Amino acid sequence: MADDRNIVIVTGIPGVGKTTVINEAVEEVKQNHNESVLVLNFGTEIFQIASKKGLIEDRDHLRKMPTAKQREVQRMAGEAIAEKAKKAKVIIDTHTLIQTNNGFLIGLPEWVVRAIQPKTLVLVEADPERIAERRSSDETRTRDAQLVEDIDTHQRMCRAAATTVGTLTGATVRIIKNREGKVEEAGKELAATIME
Ligand code: ATP
Ligand code: MG
């Protein structure tokens, strides 16, 4: 049977520019290949489930909930995402590791990635100093301030988590650098992965 995977998971630490790069790539695919891409945001899905259950009012409070609750809503969202992702070309905008009050929570547990069977796991990276700046100047979100050193550690941990997804599913792991002021370049690379 042909291995016709159509899902790309896009990960990277908060404020690295995942959503911005995805928007650029979707536009690129539409313009140059006349194809549309369904973008699913794991965080949005989780937030909708958590707010329906009355657990939370602000999306940026999700990572402060007791981790057992976070796992519960994550499971429900994972099931919803795997179901929706059965359609055409799909990008999933998410995190491999969530910084909680009790250490890193695995954003993509094995049963989620096994259900999704991604073609590629993309890791969007940037210089830790630039990430710190992007977080502090982003007025649309309540972002945690973090030491550059901790941002660097989080980013390194994400590489380890990304290769785990590759091991479990056979997905390729592609690092895309989101350089300052060069979103277009990063978007083109992501578009190439979607169309591969
Ligand atoms: P989260 O995981 O929290 O959703 P994210 O990775 O999706 O974060 P974005 O919201 O896309 O991050 O970007 C964070 C901020 O960084 C935004 O204000 C965005 O405009 C800015 N930004 C993204 N990419 C670049 C870039 N290449 N150069 C300069 N600024 C950028
Ligand atoms: Mg985002």
Side-chain angles (χ1 to χ4, degrees), residues 14-15 17-20 22 41 59 93-95 141 143:
K18 292 177 296 299
T19 305
T20 312
I22 289 171
N41 186 300
R59 181 182 164 148
D93 181 347
T94 189
H95 302 102
R141 302 278 299 273
R143 294 187 176 280

Side-chain angles (χ1 to χ4, degrees), residues 10-23 41 43 59-60 63 93-95 124-126 130-131 133-143 177-184 186:
V10 178
T11 67
I13 74 170
V16 72
K18 292 177 296 299
T19 305
T20 312
V21 173
I22 289 171
N23 290 342
N41 186 300
R59 181 182 164 148
D60 286 305
R63 60 188 177 275
D93 181 347
T94 189
H95 302 102
V124 179
E125 292 190 347
R130 301 287 89 73
I131 296 174
E133 286 166 12
R134 287 173 199 172
R135 285 181 182 171
S136 60
S137 57
D138 185 357
E139 284 161 6
T140 66
R141 302 278 299 273
T142 318
R143 294 187 176 280
K177 192 98 177 161
N178 181 22
R179 294 188 171 83
E180 196 63 16
K182 300 264 171 78
V183 181
E184 211 176 300

Side-chain angles (χ1 to χ4, degrees), residues 7-110:
I7 301 172
V8 175
I9 302 183
V10 178
T11 67
I13 74 170
V16 72
K18 292 177 296 299
T19 305
T20 312
V21 173
I22 289 171
N23 290 342
E24 189 70 32
V26 168
E27 199 48 41
E28 167 89 13
V29 169
K30 198 191 284 173
Q31 297 288 326
N32 294 347
H33 302 275
N34 202 23
E35 281 215 50
S36 58
V37 182
L38 174 67
V39 180
L40 300 174
N41 186 300
F42 210 159
T44 303
E45 208 75 34
I46 289 176
F47 174 58
Q48 281 167 357
I49 288 168
S51 51
K52 249 188 235 152
K53 287 167 84 73
L55 293 169
I56 203 156
E57 280 167 18
D58 178 340
R59 181 182 164 148
D60 286 305
H61 288 157
L62 265 179
R63 60 188 177 275
K64 318 273 183 191
M65 289 194 320
T67 48
K69 283 283 175 219
Q70 293 192 47
R71 271 189 290 270
E72 186 189 330
V73 289
Q74 184 185 45
R75 170 172 294 279
M76 296 170 75
E79 283 158 4
I81 287 260
E83 190 53 41
K84 285 187 194 176
K86 286 177 183 159
K87 314 206 176 101
K89 288 193 189 302
V90 173
I91 285 185
I92 300 177
D93 181 347
T94 189
H95 302 102
T96 45
L97 294 172
I98 295 102
Q99 190 115 47
T100 75
N101 293 334
N102 185 27
F104 291 113
L105 176 78
I106 304 298
L108 293 168
E110 70 82 26

